Amino acid sequence: ISNCGEEWLNGSGVLMPAQLTQGLNRSLNEIANGGDHSIGHGERDVISLVALLFQLVLDDRNLAEPIKAAISRLQIPVIKIAMQDSHFFAEKNHPARRLLNEMTLAVTGWEAEDNYQNDSLYQAVCAAVERVSCEFVEDVNIFSQVLADFLSYIEHEKKRISLREKRVVDAEAGRDQSESARQYVTALIEARAMDSSVPVIVRSMIETNWNNILFLTYLKKGLDSQEWRDAITALDDLLWTVAAARSMADRTEIMRRIPGLLKTLRHGLSSINY
């Protein structure tokens, strides 16, 4: 069978046992040169079992037609290995069986969209099938090698998809956190700086600049951080120093606070490149 031509193999779908047997008989007769190359009863059983195995796989409605066409090309290589290796049907972990199983599992639910030929999973399946079809003669290790490469690709894809999903989740969480932070800071400033006695220039600076400083500190450091407490203290000190009602004692305290307040304001405004 390893010398049989495969021109009769229909790549677009699974062949029934009788079709496989007929095709193989025709190929054997073409190379017989008068010798006896008929298919024996045991070989017919192997062909029938392999054909039924593929029919079971390819009848799955969750497999797209391009994938079925690709996987169906493994029928002849699998028939060859099943005839050579008596353990094929007995061992679930036989590399040829595992390759078929892993491929089927990986492509279940895959849809052939526009330009599906460029899809990485479709290309991986086709590459695995092509390698087996071209390189397998007698050495079963080719199935092990192709299986290892295919599993490596699947694992890589899982990690890539997981990372992409994590980024999407993080982005969504980031948007939610940003919205929460913005609302919190806006409400805090409104509660502190909406007094009509606050000079317009101070209120404008707080609402447009210190607002952003508080927002970024909330996101980067959190409400329990020293940086957040320092930013709130600076806001409260600034508002206190410009309050309308003052006593002589307040003037002394204002002069004491001014140097540290200015330092904190400059540092904060510098952090947002103001």
Side-chain angles (χ1 to χ4, degrees), residues 180-194 206-207 210-211 214-215 218 223 228 231-233 235-236 239:
S180 176
R182 184 65 72 186
Q183 292 176 358
Y184 183 88
V185 169
T186 299
L188 182 148
I189 289 176
E190 288 179 354
R192 279 173 161 82
M194 290 306 291
I206 291 173
E207 291 178 346
W210 211 251
N211 183 312
L214 291 173
F215 171 72
Y218 181 110
L223 298 179
W228 173 262
I232 292 297
T233 299
L235 172 62
D236 290 339
L239 291 171

Side-chain angles (χ1 to χ4, degrees), residues 167-225:
R167 288 173 178 170
V168 171
V169 171
D170 288 347
E172 290 294 333
R175 279 192 287 270
D176 291 342
Q177 186 179 21
S178 295
E179 183 62 25
S180 176
R182 184 65 72 186
Q183 292 176 358
Y184 183 88
V185 169
T186 299
L188 182 148
I189 289 176
E190 288 179 354
R192 279 173 161 82
M194 290 306 291
D195 192 324
S196 60
S197 66
V198 177
V200 175
I201 188 171
V202 175
R203 185 185 299 114
S204 176
M205 189 277 286
I206 291 173
E207 291 178 346
T208 59
N209 298 305
W210 211 251
N211 183 312
N212 287 331
I213 292 168
L214 291 173
F215 171 72
L216 293 174
T217 305
Y218 181 110
L219 291 178
K220 294 180 179 179
K221 302 297 182 178
L223 298 179
D224 295 328
S225 65

